Amino acid sequence: MADKIKMSAIREQFPMYGDLSDDDLAMAIRQKYYPDIPAQRFYSNIDFDTKAAKPAVKRDVTPDWQAQAIASMTLDDKPWYERAAIGAGSRVNDLVQTAKNLFTEPSTQESITTKAGNAMRDKDSAAFWGGVGSDLALTAVPGYRAQQGITGAVRAGSILLPKATQAVVRGAAPYVGAVGSGALVGASMSPEDMAGGAQTGALAGAAGEVGGRVLGATYNGAKAVLDPLTEKGRDRILKRTIDRFATDPTKVRAAAANPQVFVPGVTPTLAEATGDVGIAQLQRGAQATSPDVASALAESRARQVAGYRGALDDMAGNDGKREFYDSARDWAAQQEYGRAWAGGLKSTPQLDATAAELMKRPSVQSAITEARTLALEKGVDITGQEGSVMGLHYIKRALDDKISAANRAGNGNMADALKDTKDQLVSYLTEASPAYGEALNTYRAMSRPINQMDVAQTLRDKAIPALSDFSEGSLARVNANSYANALRNADTTARQATGMQGAKLANIMEPAQMQTIEGIGKDMARYATSQEAGRVAGSPTAQYLGAQNVLRQFMGPLGLPQSAADSMLGRVAAGLLDLPFKMTQSQTEQLLARALTDPKVAAKILAAKDPKTIADLLRPFAAQAAIQIDTQ
């Protein structure tokens, strides 16, 4: 291999170029005297043995040999794909050179090669875009991750600041991230001037972030303008609205998809089904501003109250049903008790002793007179027959009345003593007269549906205002507290409804009836809860749905808090923007009304896909694209 030409010898031969650096001198010599020798081979044959100073070129006084040399280099004789590959390779070389520069001083040959390669790339379009593509492949994802990391760190650190400045810092975080990542990427792709590259990258990152957000906001805003015109668009508006108001959107979705129905046929509203305070506020706000929503909620409430009334009326029965059961019971009892009267009482020493002891009790003695009166009212004279099956039966009924009177007087001890006597009397009767026991069981069994109807009627009277019976069911109101108190004191309610002192509501009603009765109470309670939750002062409304959708879609990409749309300024802007949406506002509000009054409609809306557009997908990389183009 031939010896390399020393740079010191070249300087001795060409002293007139003393103001040029070694790099510039080598490039000038090649351009003027050896243009046919490829640059790489020419520079590799020079021994840069001197550390000559590198004074700044006075471009306004002396000829710019370097610029002329670079300008003469061309790739025009190569196909576009080779030029693109050369451009891509030069960017790879920049990245490698930057990494080497962090640890070692670049050689003159490396510096000249880098400058020459970049010069050729920058003046050839295919090479330029090849370099951009190489940048995207090498630095876009790492740069974006760096931007995310810096943004996240700024936001996390904002919690250490006063609350008044936290929102500002969090809003500026994406731009700080873009500047930081831009500086890192710019420096990494500028081995000749890392500081300048960092500065250029930082400015490009900020500009790209702003530009990407503005373009994304403009695109989303323009798309949102069309949303109210289509069914899917209105679904998107409502989905965003519900998500915005919901305190916990995930729970709202789950509850809406499977709403809990407490009363068969009674559908809860979305606020009632989810129990979400934000949805309750949406419901109340929309009801106040939209006639469509207000009308739909009024109809929904009317259906709910009608459902309560229908369930209680069904259990209470109508007058004809009650009379039928009464008549059937009386007829059966007459037949059964008739056989018991005719059968008489068994006599055994033990039974006779029990009967004698019972007849001596003061309560029995005092009940005999009332028993005679009761029997006479039935057309029967039991005088002298008080010890018969019939006589003892009427004494038992008289004792029932005495127990009721003691309870009403608040004399619990007397009531308990009388009940004990009555129970012993009934026990004696059923043992001494099996026919009486059968008659008593038949009477009790046939009394059960009547008792159920009595209880249901009592609960209906507690729940449904009397005015409702005069409004043909159009009064959509209930006495919720009165009904709740009746259930709280369930056994007292059962005793009052049936007149049976030992009555218990759970023993009288069938399990399915109890479930319905309690379900009505639960449904009333969640209605009241949603109404109270919706009364929170200062809650946002769902007015100007179409215009607010445009505002929010525009604000989102800009990083502005979407709550600004609910501010006074935001409402004024929405009011002005709403003018073009007047024709479609009613359709959107009707859809909102269906969603608020039927959780399954809301669930369908919330389950709809809101796919990201190309603008949404590419916007996060806008800063990186700007950095890579500007640092070429």
Side-chain angles (χ1 to χ4, degrees):
M1 180 181 293
D3 293 337
K4 292 185 177 182
I5 302 173
K6 296 184 179 296
M7 176 56 70
S8 57
I10 295 176
R11 285 196 173 277
E12 290 178 4
Q13 187 176 354
F14 299 100
M16 73 286 297
Y17 300 137
D19 60 341
L20 296 181
S21 66
D22 288 352
D23 297 351
D24 293 342
L25 176 59
M27 294 179 70
I29 295 297
R30 175 185 173 276
Q31 174 62 24
K32 189 167 185 178
Y33 300 105
Y34 307 103
D36 295 333
I37 299 176
Q40 183 75 15
R41 194 173 79 186
F42 177 79
Y43 299 135
S44 66
N45 287 321
I46 296 177
D47 179 4
F48 293 90
D49 62 336
T50 178
K51 297 293 184 180
K54 301 178 181 179
V57 179
K58 300 178 181 178
R59 302 186 185 281
D60 57 338
V61 178
T62 59
D64 190 348
W65 290 94
Q66 181 179 0
Q68 292 179 18
I70 291 173
S72 68
M73 298 178 184
T74 179
L75 297 173
D76 291 344
D77 59 338
K78 299 181 182 298
W80 68 268
Y81 52 86
E82 287 190 19
R83 302 200 305 273
I86 290 172
S90 71
R91 298 307 283 173
V92 175
N93 178 69
D94 286 347
L95 191 60
V96 172
Q97 193 61 49
T98 299
K100 292 173 65 177
N101 290 353
L102 294 175
F103 305 101
T104 61
E105 183 71 21
S107 68
T108 304
Q109 178 180 337
E110 290 172 336
S111 177
I112 292 176
T113 301
T114 299
K115 287 182 180 179
N118 291 349
M120 287 187 293
R121 183 197 66 232
D122 291 344
K123 68 180 183 176
D124 185 89
S125 60
F128 175 83
W129 290 109
V132 172
S134 178
D135 274 357
L136 288 171
L138 294 172
T139 66
V141 173
Y144 176 54
R145 295 302 183 195
Q147 180 178 350
Q148 284 184 312
I150 296 171
T151 300
V154 172
R155 285 177 172 165
S158 68
I159 62 174
L160 303 175
L161 301 174
K163 287 188 176 181
T165 59
Q166 283 184 14
V168 175
V169 172
R170 290 179 65 82
Y175 301 96
V176 176
V179 169
S181 67
L184 291 173
V185 173
S188 69
M189 302 304 293
S190 304
E192 300 173 67
D193 184 6
M194 294 179 66
Q199 182 178 6
T200 301
L203 293 174
E209 185 70 15
V210 172
R213 287 178 177 275
V214 170
L215 289 175
T218 303
Y219 178 83
N220 285 352
K223 188 161 66 73
V225 170
L226 303 177
D227 278 345
L229 303 178
T230 65
E231 183 178 350
K232 289 185 177 180
R234 289 190 288 273
D235 284 348
R236 286 193 291 270
I237 293 175
L238 264 298
K239 179 181 180 180
R240 294 163 187 158
T241 300
I242 294 173
D243 278 343
R244 173 167 60 94
F245 276 84
T247 305
D248 189 335
T250 301
K251 288 185 178 179
V252 167
R253 279 177 167 77
N258 296 287
Q260 190 171 10
V261 177
F262 293 132
V263 184
V266 175
T267 301
T269 64
L270 182 62
E272 295 163 17
T274 62
D276 189 273
V277 174
I279 299 300
Q281 293 171 6
L282 168 63
Q283 178 175 302
R284 186 174 180 83
Q287 185 177 17
T289 58
S290 169
D292 289 319
V293 174
S295 176
L297 286 171
E299 291 175 4
S300 173
R301 184 56 182 163
R303 289 193 297 271
Q304 289 177 333
V305 174
Y308 305 155
R309 185 190 303 109
L312 293 171
D313 283 346
D314 184 61
M315 286 187 285
N318 53 37
D319 291 340
K321 183 178 181 181
R322 180 69 162 70
E323 290 176 359
F324 170 79
Y325 276 91
D326 272 339
S327 298
R329 182 183 63 178
D330 289 345
W331 182 87
Q334 185 177 2
Q335 300 300 313
E336 294 287 338
Y337 283 124
R339 284 193 287 271
W341 309 157
L345 295 166
K346 289 194 300 184
S347 178
T348 66
Q350 185 177 357
L351 289 173
D352 293 345
T354 299
E357 192 274 329
L358 288 171
M359 293 300 291
K360 292 178 183 178
R361 294 191 180 187
S363 58
V364 174
Q365 288 297 312
S366 64
I368 289 175
T369 300
E370 188 175 344
R372 289 171 182 168
T373 302
L374 287 173
L376 286 173
E377 289 296 331
K378 290 289 187 178
V380 178
D381 187 358
I382 62 170
T383 304
Q385 302 181 50
E386 290 82 357
S388 66
V389 177
M390 182 188 298
L392 293 174
H393 170 72
Y394 279 104
I395 291 174
K396 176 257 181 191
R397 293 185 61 184
L399 287 172
D400 285 335
D401 292 340
K402 287 180 177 295
I403 293 169
S404 296
N407 280 318
R408 286 194 299 271
N411 194 343
N413 290 331
M414 179 57 71
D416 289 343
L418 292 171
K419 186 175 183 301
D420 183 65
T421 297
K422 186 200 76 168
D423 290 344
Q424 290 185 46
L425 177 60
V426 170
S427 177
Y428 163 76
L429 270 172
T430 54
E431 186 176 357
S433 174
Y436 180 83
E438 293 177 5
L440 191 60
N441 289 335
T442 300
Y443 186 88
R444 286 173 177 169
M446 297 188 72
S447 294
R448 182 177 174 82
I450 297 172
N451 293 335
Q452 290 169 351
M453 285 185 273
D454 289 341
V455 169
Q457 184 62 46
T458 298
L459 290 173
R460 183 197 185 281
D461 293 342
K462 297 285 186 182
I464 308 300
L467 281 176
S468 182
D469 295 334
F470 296 92
S471 67
E472 297 181 355
S474 61
L475 183 65
R477 195 194 318 158
V478 294
N479 296 325
N481 279 334
S482 176
Y483 185 83
N485 281 327
L487 290 186
R488 175 184 286 176
N489 303 293
D491 294 341
T492 300
T493 301
R495 288 194 293 270
Q496 292 174 347
T498 63
M500 299 187 301
Q501 295 311 305
K504 292 185 178 295
L505 185 64
N507 293 337
I508 293 173
M509 310 305 289
E510 301 291 344
Q513 292 175 321
M514 282 300 298
Q515 185 175 358
T516 299
I517 289 170
E518 292 173 352
I520 291 173
K522 291 178 181 178
D523 209 74
M524 289 180 179
R526 71 177 174 185
Y527 170 80
T529 300
S530 71
Q531 292 298 301
E532 290 297 325
R535 291 192 177 96
V536 176
S539 61
T541 68
Q543 198 174 15
Y544 310 129
L545 290 170
Q548 284 197 335
N549 180 54
V550 175
L551 281 177
R552 292 175 186 282
Q553 291 301 102
F554 185 79
M555 290 177 176
L558 292 179
L560 298 174
Q562 295 194 11
S563 58
D566 294 319
S567 66
M568 182 59 70
L569 183 60
R571 293 182 188 182
V572 171
L576 295 175
L577 283 174
D578 196 53
L579 293 176
F581 300 111
K582 290 295 184 184
M583 295 180 61
T584 58
Q585 177 74 3
S586 179
Q587 290 177 297
T588 307
E589 289 179 356
Q590 288 172 14
L591 179 59
L592 175 61
R594 291 199 298 274
L596 290 175
T597 55
D598 189 344
K600 291 190 176 180
V601 172
K604 184 178 179 182
I605 290 173
L606 290 171
K609 298 292 184 182
D610 193 0
K612 288 187 176 296
T613 63
I614 294 177
D616 295 325
L617 295 172
L618 295 182
R619 185 191 62 74
F621 295 95
Q624 302 307 313
I627 294 165
Q628 290 145 8
I629 291 174
D630 279 6
T631 53
Q632 290 291 312

